[in-house]
Each structure stands twice: as structure tokens, then as C-alpha cells.
């Protein structure tokens, strides 16, 4: 019950992560494998109730426990947070939910190159290969193509208006990407999450698809 309410509350993402860790930590501020497994099992009840658990690697928590702990015997808060910030597949729906909520009322000083919406409302997607190329979330989710822009291009997702530092950084990236071939992007798809899967599960079924790199909510 506590886990469920925490996940669905309006709190900040990092506060949620910290609180969840506190639920399983012993007096030495450490959690063991079993406690971590129980927590992940509880967390997965949210996508499970919605019938979406398969999309996040299934209800088997083993691979996630292994991914989080690695070679460790027990877990500290800092390591748990660092793992969550990579957005592991089984839990990626939670930060995505936060970004969607944050983007709901966001206005971006940019025009969608596909449907011409201006300003873009919601999530904004900027191409890191074409200069001055943006898409609104509807066009991006529908995979609409426009002259010159390809699905293989790396995209940057924004849930809030960009700063001049980010604009400059993206411009530099686009400049560098200009010199990379289409094959380079096919070979190096950027994933928006940390893949978590067991060796026993089917290979191709869950092969990760390239998705836009998200921006870090906590840094803004
Ligand atoms: Zn659009
Ligand atoms: Zn492009």
C-alpha cells in the first residue's frame, strides 16, 4: 500500500526513490537482495495491474535485482539511486510518467516541422542531426517523417523549455552528427533506458528500440 501510494503521488521522483529505499533499509542504511526483490515485486504491481508488465521485461524481478546489485552483497542508497537514474527497463515507466506530467503544460519556443504547431506544447523532440528541426509529441509518437529527417536520427526529448546552454550543446552535437553516416546511427542506437533482461528470456522479443535520450529531470 505504501509503495503504491508513493508511486502514484505527486512527489518528486528522487524523493520517491529515497523513500522507497528507506522502506527496505536496515538500521545500517543498507538493503539486502531479498528486500530489494520484494520492493521491486511490489513496484511492478503498477504496470502489472494495467496489463503492461510485458513491455517492461515481464514480472520476473530476478534480472532487475541482478542488474541493480551487480557483484554486491548489499545495497546502499547512493548505489540504488545511481541505478534508478539510468532508468532500468522494469522501472522506466515511472520517470516517463513524471516527464509526461511535467510536460503537460510546457510551452516550447519552437515550431513542429511536421504539423507546424507553434509553440510546441507538451514534449518537444529536437533532432540532433538536422539543424533547427523540432517535432511535437504527436508527430514524434506517430513517427511522421519530413523531408530530410529520418527515423534513425538521434533525438533529444525536452519536457520543459530549453535553456541557452542546452541550445548550444544540441547545436554542437548536431554539428558533429553532420559528419556521421546513416549506418553509424543504425549501428549505435541510443537507448532511453537501461535494458534489463534475463538470459533465459527470448532474444529478439525484447530487443530494445532506439528512443530519444531524455533530459535529466533532476538537474532542472
Ligand atoms: Zn507536430
Ligand atoms: Zn533529423
Amino acid at each position: 500500500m505504501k509503495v503504491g501510494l508513493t508511486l502514484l503521488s505527486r512527489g518528486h521522483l528522487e524523493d520517491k526513490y529515497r523513500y522507497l529505499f528507506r522502506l527496505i533499509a536496515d538500521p545500517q542504511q543498507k538493503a539486502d537482495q531479498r528486500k530489494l526483490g520484494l520492493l521491486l515485486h511490489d513496484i511492478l504491481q503498477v504496470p502489472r495491474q494495467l496489463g503492461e508488465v510485458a513491455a517492461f521485461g515481464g514480472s520476473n524481478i530476478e534480472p532487475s535485482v541482478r542488474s541493480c546489485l551487480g557483484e554486491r552483497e548489499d545495497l546502499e542508497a547512493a548505489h540504488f539511486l545511481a541505478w534508478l537514474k539510468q532508468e532500468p527497463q522494469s522501472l522506466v515507466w515511472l520517470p516517463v510518467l513524471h516527464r509526461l506530467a511535467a510536460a503537460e503544460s510546457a510551452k516550447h519556443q519552437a515550431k513542429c516541422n511536421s504539423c507546424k504547431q507553434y509553440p510546441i506544447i507538451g514534449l518537444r523532440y529536437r533532432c540532433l542531426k538536422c539543424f533547427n528541426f523540432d517535432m511535437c509529441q504527436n508527430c514524434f509518437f506517430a513517427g511522421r517523417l519530413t523531408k530530410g529527417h529520418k527515423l534513425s536520427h538521434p533525438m533529444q526529448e525536452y519536457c520543459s523549455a530549453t535553456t541557452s546552454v542546452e541550445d548550444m550543446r544540441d547545436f554542437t552535437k548536431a554539428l558533429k552528427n553532420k559528419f556521421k553516416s546513416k549506418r553509424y546511427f543504425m549501428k549505435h542506437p541510443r537507448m532511453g533506458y537501461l535494458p534489463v533482461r534475463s538470459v533465459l528470456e527470448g532474444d529478439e522479443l525484447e530487443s530494445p528500440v532506439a528512443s530519444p535520450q531524455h533530459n535529466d529531470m533532476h538537474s532542472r
Side-chain angles (χ1 to χ4, degrees):
M1 193 55 150
K2 276 185 188 170
V3 170
L5 287 175
T6 305
L7 293 175
L8 300 176
S9 76
R10 283 190 63 128
H12 289 291
L13 191 56
E14 194 166 322
D15 293 343
K16 292 186 182 184
Y17 289 160
R18 287 181 188 282
Y19 178 74
L20 291 171
F21 185 77
R22 230 174 294 149
L23 289 177
I24 57 165
D26 61 18
Q28 282 77 46
Q29 306 301 316
K30 287 185 174 179
D32 60 19
Q33 188 180 337
R34 196 184 67 89
K35 287 266 184 66
L36 174 66
L38 288 172
L39 175 67
L40 294 176
H41 176 266
D42 285 348
I43 294 175
L44 280 185
Q45 296 313 305
V46 174
R48 200 167 162 211
Q49 291 301 319
L50 297 170
E52 295 289 349
V53 78
F56 303 102
S59 49
N60 180 11
I61 44 113
E62 246 339 278
S64 298
V65 172
R66 224 178 309 140
S67 164
C68 180
L69 276 175
E71 302 295 308
R72 275 157 236 265
E73 290 276 300
D74 46 22
L75 186 63
E76 284 173 36
H79 183 74
F80 184 60
L81 285 177
W83 178 68
L84 287 168
K85 276 182 188 166
Q86 295 176 69
E87 306 197 352
Q89 186 176 0
S90 48
L91 301 173
V92 68
W93 50 270
L94 184 59
V96 168
L97 201 66
H98 274 252
R99 282 198 287 278
L100 276 173
E104 244 164 12
S105 55
K107 265 190 200 164
H108 307 271
Q109 292 310 309
K111 185 165 149 187
C112 174
N113 282 54
S114 181
C115 72
K116 312 296 176 203
Q117 182 192 68
Y118 178 87
I120 291 177
I121 313 264
L123 293 167
R124 168 193 184 179
Y125 294 86
R126 175 189 266 163
C127 182
L128 294 181
K129 187 158 161 77
C130 308
F131 288 116
N132 213 358
F133 186 96
D134 293 278
M135 267 181 150
C136 71
Q137 61 181 42
N138 289 341
C139 294
F140 180 77
F141 292 155
R144 283 194 195 121
L145 290 177
T146 336
K147 205 166 154 269
H149 176 72
K150 302 270 159 44
L151 286 178
S152 58
H153 288 178
M155 301 287 276
Q156 176 75 45
E157 179 186 85
Y158 286 102
C159 55
S160 54
T162 57
T163 63
S164 52
V165 174
E166 286 164 338
D167 291 342
M168 200 56 212
R169 188 195 56 201
D170 289 350
F171 178 79
T172 316
K173 278 186 188 164
L175 199 60
K176 281 184 190 155
N177 286 335
K178 277 277 165 224
F179 300 101
K180 291 175 188 159
S181 67
K182 187 183 166 190
R183 276 185 59 203
Y184 175 88
F185 295 109
M186 294 298 210
K187 273 189 181 165
H188 304 88
R190 302 196 320 161
M191 274 177 273
Y193 62 89
L194 174 71
V196 167
R197 54 177 164 164
S198 95
V199 272
L200 299 169
E201 284 172 282
D203 279 327
E204 292 309 310
L205 267 176
E206 291 178 84
S207 64
V209 257
S211 67
Q213 201 173 55
H214 52 83
N215 53 2
D216 188 351
M217 279 247 309
H218 315 294
S219 64
R220 65 208 51 161

